[in-house]
Structures are given as C-alpha cells and as structure tokens.
Amino acid sequence: MKLKRRQFLFLSSFSAISTGFFSWMLVRQNNQSADITDSTTAIAANPAKKDLLLRFVSVADTGTGAKGQYAVAGAMNAYHKQNPYDLVVLAGDNIYNNGEIEKINAVFERPYQALLKQGVKFQACLGNHDIRTANGDPQVKYAGFNMKGRRYYTFSRGSVQFFALDTNGNADWKNQLPWLEKELSLSKAPWKVVFGHHPIYASGVYGINPEFIKTFTPLFQKYGVQVYINGHEHHYERTRAINGTTYLVTGGGAGTRPVRRSEWTEHSAEKLSFAAYEVYPDRIEVSAIATDKRVFDKGIIQLKSA
C-alpha cells in the first residue's frame, strides 16, 4: 500500500512518540520503588496489602511554624496520598518556644491543615517546651491533641494499644508509674506502643537516660512492649530490639542536630523526617521518610522481639 507523504510523516512521528512514551514508562517503573511522590506510581507500587492491621506515623519537635516543619508536613501529606493513615503520634515540643497555645494555628493547624481536613487524628504528649506556659495545661485541654484533659493516657486502635506518657521532670511520677504498670498488665493487645517526649536510648546531644532505663525498661520487658517512640533529640534513630523493645527517635519534625551511632543503633541520621509504621499480625514494618519524600531507613519489629 502506497502512503502519501503527509500520512508517512504522521505515522513516523506517532511511532517515535509511542517509543518514547513506553521508554519513559519503563524508567518510571524501574524507579518507582524508591519514590512515593507520584499518585499514579503509588497505585502501581502500593497495592492493597494483605493482613495490614494499622498504618500510622510519628513525628516530634515540630511546633516552629517554619519551613522545616512545612517540609516534613509536605512529605507526610505525600505519603498519606499513597498510603492512607488516620493517626499521628505527636511526641512532644508541639509549640515552640514556650508552649503558648495562642500559637496553635501557626505551628499546628496550618502546617497540618491538609491532614486534619482528611480526618487524621493527632495524639500528643507534652515536651519540655510545652510545659513552660501554664505547665502545658492548655495543650492538654486542646481538642486537636486528643489528650482529653490527661497528661498520660492510653488508647487502642484494633490490635495495637498505645500508652502516652508525660516524661517531664515535674510529671506526676508517683501516680503515673503505677498507672502505667496497671494498664500494661491489663492490656490484652498483642502490640504495645509507648510514647513520650524524652529518650531512653539515643545517640544525640542528650544520649541515653540511665534513670529511665532503670524505671521503664523492666516494665517494657515484663509486659512485652515492642516499641517506644520519642522526640527531644532532633534526629532519626532506630535501635535494635533491646530486651524485646525497639526505641525510635523521630525528633526531626522541624529542625535537626548531629547524631552519632551506638553499639545498639541500627540506623541514625540527621534528617528532617518522620517515621511510618505498618502493623501486621506478626511484625511492624518501619520506614523513615525524609523531606525529599524518599525512604532512607527500613526496619522490621517482630511481635515477639525478646
């Protein structure tokens, strides 16, 4: 069949475009496992996961209202679009510098507006900066932090029970510690996650907390706490399981400080970031995600970590 010149040129151009398109698609497929920014890629890369019980994220030391916080919030939004979640563990220093509740719009409601509009629930605890004004009471009463007037509290999501602590020096330790042991002893949840602002194991400016190691780790081991999440240190760090518990520092929510490695460190990084958790019947898969929206650490927490 003879083709007129115009038809020939059209078909040749169409062929080139098609070849270029499929080459582009191949490159996208090869790169999609590391990139969570594109919604079409996400559909292909993140199909429905069998046996997934819960997905949540954690972040801390957030409340500046500055560009670092917005950058992390943007990464949290991008992750949410591809991997929907409705829970954020907010591990303290929610309002810098002095916990002034009048700043709440600038340092919480605006930066996380997109997530809040989609019904994502933030469960907060108090950091050392938060108690500088009225001992943090306005934050404890603030509906958006879901503390329901309590400085330490517990809540459950399916097979996961969370325990929020007040780890400040002026906390009600006399009543909080017996409360924690009682709640842990009564818990029937296979997964137990404790969070507070201050670290127990960390390799940053403050390092380990010998008093907390003495106070908390025997309870964690006795009652099978698999995860402790904190801030205060402005970096990301994941430990190996220490007597059955993995310790996660997710304090790069708005700014960073240097971090080292310790003998029990699996991964540490001075990065603006948050952590994402996917809970399954037998494991939790942890991903650390930076402001470039890429995963820079992945770890597995086994149900029986001891």
Side-chain angles (χ1 to χ4, degrees):
M1 180 178 65
K2 293 183 178 180
L3 296 174
K4 294 181 180 179
R5 176 176 174 79
R6 182 177 298 176
Q7 291 175 315
F8 177 78
L9 291 173
F10 171 78
L11 291 173
S12 298
S13 300
F14 180 78
S15 176
I17 292 169
S18 300
T19 301
F21 174 77
F22 288 114
S23 297
W24 176 81
M25 284 296 291
L26 183 60
V27 171
R28 289 292 291 175
Q29 289 173 354
N30 288 337
N31 290 336
Q32 68 185 16
S33 61
D35 190 351
I36 66 163
T37 61
D38 184 83
S39 59
T40 56
T41 298
I43 293 171
N46 301 306
K49 297 188 176 183
K50 184 180 179 182
D51 298 330
L52 178 64
L53 302 176
L54 176 68
R55 183 184 290 119
F56 69 98
V57 309
S58 74
V59 69
D61 302 271
T62 55
T64 65
K67 63 181 182 180
Q69 183 183 12
Y70 275 91
V72 176
M76 292 167 65
N77 293 340
Y79 181 75
H80 181 273
K81 288 178 181 178
Q82 298 177 23
N83 303 276
Y85 59 89
D86 64 359
L87 172 62
V88 177
V89 167
L90 190 62
D93 280 358
N94 313 309
I95 305 175
Y96 284 106
N97 279 323
N98 299 306
E100 310 97 319
I101 196 66
E102 59 267 23
K103 292 182 177 178
I104 195 67
N105 184 255
V107 304
F108 177 71
E109 294 169 350
R110 283 210 301 267
Y112 304 116
Q113 182 178 33
L115 294 174
L116 292 167
K117 281 186 174 180
Q118 296 181 78
V120 176
K121 194 172 186 178
F122 287 70
Q123 297 278 171
C125 67
L126 295 176
N128 55 296
H129 284 268
D130 299 319
I131 64 171
R132 291 181 178 179
T133 296
N135 199 28
D137 288 343
Q139 290 193 46
V140 172
K141 297 172 184 175
Y142 172 62
F145 288 162
N146 293 290
M147 299 174 74
K148 297 182 179 178
R150 297 189 291 268
R151 306 176 79 85
Y152 51 91
Y153 61 97
T154 183
F155 64 97
S156 294
R157 290 293 187 94
S159 61
V160 186
Q161 186 168 355
F162 295 84
F163 305 82
L165 301 179
D166 177 3
T167 58
N168 288 290
N170 68 345
D172 181 12
W173 293 107
K174 181 180 178 181
N175 291 307
Q176 181 174 211
L177 288 176
W179 168 88
L180 177 61
E181 180 159 20
K182 179 182 178 182
E183 292 295 333
L184 286 172
S185 70
L186 293 174
S187 176
K188 303 300 183 184
W191 289 104
K192 299 176 184 68
V193 176
V194 178
F195 65 98
H197 181 63
H198 294 83
I200 298 176
Y201 288 93
S203 306
V205 173
Y206 300 104
I208 64 172
N209 187 322
E211 188 62 33
F212 280 8
I213 290 174
K214 180 181 176 181
T215 301
F216 288 118
T217 60
L219 292 178
F220 293 175
Q221 186 173 7
K222 182 177 181 179
Y223 297 108
V225 172
Q226 294 97 345
V227 184
Y228 177 78
I229 299 168
N230 66 274
H232 200 49
E233 297 275 24
H234 294 187
H235 65 259
Y236 169 83
E237 187 170 7
R238 176 174 60 86
T239 75
R240 62 173 171 79
I242 303 173
N243 293 323
T245 304
T246 297
Y247 296 83
L248 281 140
V249 182
T250 59
T256 63
R257 286 194 295 253
V259 59
R260 306 177 304 277
R261 289 182 61 88
S262 301
E263 60 180 357
W264 30 258
T265 302
E266 286 287 353
H267 191 92
S268 61
E270 183 185 350
K271 287 181 180 286
L272 289 168
S273 58
F274 69 98
Y277 308 77
E278 291 191 329
V279 183
Y280 297 88
D282 63 337
R283 70 195 186 282
I284 295 178
E285 297 182 2
V286 183
S287 300
I289 302 171
T291 53
D292 62 3
K293 306 176 181 63
R294 291 180 179 272
V295 174
F296 64 88
D297 176 50
K298 290 185 74 70
I300 301 290
I301 299 171
Q302 301 293 341
L303 179 63
K304 300 296 183 183
S305 299

